Amino acid sequence: MIDKEVALVTGAGQGIGLATVRRLVADGFHVVMIDRNPEPLATAAAQLRAASNSIEHHVLSITDRPAVAELVGALIASLGRIDVLVNNAAIFWDGKFDATTEDDYTRMYEVNVIGTFVVSQEVVKVMQRGGRIINVASRAYLAGYAHAPYITSKAGTVGLTRGMAIDLAERGILVNAIAPGLIETDMFRSLTPGRQQELIAKQPTKTVGQPDDIANGIAFFADPRTRNVTGQILALDGGRSMGISLY
Ligand SMILES: NC(=O)c1ccc[n+]([C@@H]2O[C@H](COP(=O)([O-])OP(=O)(O)OC[C@H]3O[C@@H](n4cnc5c(N)ncnc54)[C@H](O)[C@@H]3O)[C@@H](O)[C@H]2O)c1
């Protein structure tokens, strides 16, 4: 068995996932990177491996249960442990409720909620006492214009976090979530400049967060010293969840 703690991060090829990988490697974890998009993942992993051999990467979709189960089995055979799971992979787009197709609605739910459920369920089969699961939700689970499928999926992520936290507490597995606000990644850059400015204006801080800000919160829940905390949703959102734009 490897003598380091092992952390598995989904959606690790770019953005918040990649920042989380960097942070967890710096914190002493062996990190398993997962993404469905092969090229950015391979490039990022190669760059990180130049500085650390505590990195491996695997291409798969979090919704592909047989592939996830096969990977978990292979990791247990090679490393002997999975201590931390960061469910970060998700998809997003802007779109008004009445223009949303049923297919689009279903697809976002499938990746953001069912994918998180699938990876968690497969990992929990092998996770020992002391394991930590961190789900990346979004501040948008509370509300937001033109986001109905995304709000649904992130409210689902929050509900799943609480349900898992309760059911896994007696096994000594802690489950928490981060609710990021606006973070400067491709997901945010996919919005039009006008929409970006509109959203920034709603932030009490009038700023966009950086991927490292979220990695820092994830690192808190991943730290083995963070004990006795489960079922919590930590908003890292420039204060937007206070609802200040309503006043
Ligand atoms: N950027 C923001 O403003 C923001 C705000 C709130 C919440 N979030 C959440 O933070 C997380 C990361 O977002 P980001 O901004 O870094 O996004 P991003 O789009 O830059 O990166 C997401 C990564 O997930 C991967 N991915 C998508 N579907 C996948 C699947 N089925 N299987 C495996 N990998 C898959 C993508 O290939 C990509 O590498 C997401 O859960 C997102 O909802 C982001």
Side-chain angles (χ1 to χ4, degrees):
M1 190 199 281
I2 192 170
D3 57 1
K4 289 180 163 193
E5 284 208 316
V6 173
L8 193 153
V9 180
T10 71
Q14 62 181 54
I16 291 168
L18 180 54
T20 300
V21 172
R22 285 204 189 93
R23 173 60 190 263
L24 294 182
V25 168
D27 287 355
F29 289 88
H30 176 89
V31 181
V32 180
M33 303 170 72
I34 291 177
D35 206 291
R36 69 170 176 190
N37 198 357
E39 276 156 32
L41 178 66
T43 306
Q47 281 167 359
L48 290 168
R49 224 175 273 117
S52 165
N53 56 10
S54 288
I55 297 280
E56 58 185 279
H57 70 286
H58 302 271
V59 177
L60 58 76
S61 172
I62 57 169
T63 56
D64 183 348
R65 190 184 278 269
V68 172
E70 192 184 330
L71 175 65
V72 169
L75 292 173
I76 291 303
S78 62
L79 304 170
R81 59 196 293 174
I82 300 174
D83 301 280
V84 169
L85 167 63
V86 181
N87 284 307
N88 165 75
I91 55 175
F92 163 85
W93 56 81
D94 235 8
K96 287 261 167 68
F97 169 72
D98 49 8
T100 300
T101 67
E102 191 174 329
D103 276 357
D104 283 346
Y105 192 77
T106 306
R107 191 153 58 93
M108 200 173 283
Y109 193 81
E110 241 168 46
V111 174
N112 297 5
V113 184
I114 308 291
T116 298
F117 168 77
V118 163
V119 180
S120 300
Q121 220 174 36
E122 292 303 324
V123 167
V124 153
K125 287 179 186 167
V126 301
M127 195 172 242
Q128 301 292 311
R129 223 175 163 75
R132 286 89 72 199
I133 298 177
I134 302 111
N135 296 329
V136 180
S138 170
R139 194 281 327 156
Y141 86 91
L142 293 168
Y145 288 103
H147 278 159
Y150 191 65
I151 293 169
T152 307
S153 73
K154 292 304 186 176
T157 306
V158 166
L160 181 59
T161 301
R162 293 195 166 134
M164 286 166 60
I166 288 179
D167 285 359
L168 297 172
E170 285 186 1
R171 278 186 53 189
I173 295 174
L174 305 176
V175 187
N176 292 286
I178 302 284
L182 297 181
I183 306 297
E184 200 171 0
T185 68
D186 282 1
M187 193 172 272
F188 175 72
R189 288 187 283 265
S190 71
L191 299 168
T192 62
R195 182 79 166 124
Q196 291 179 13
Q197 288 314 312
E198 187 190 318
L199 290 172
I200 291 168
K202 289 184 173 156
Q203 300 286 111
T205 56
K206 310 292 181 216
T207 54
V208 186
Q210 295 302 313
D212 283 347
D213 299 334
I214 306 306
N216 197 32
I218 292 171
F220 167 73
F221 285 130
D223 190 319
R225 292 169 298 182
T226 306
R227 291 190 293 261
N228 214 26
V229 180
T230 198
Q232 301 307 304
I233 315 302
L234 176 61
L236 300 176
D237 66 346
R240 174 105 189 262
S241 53
M242 290 189 290
I244 202 156
S245 58
L246 302 174
Y247 303 116

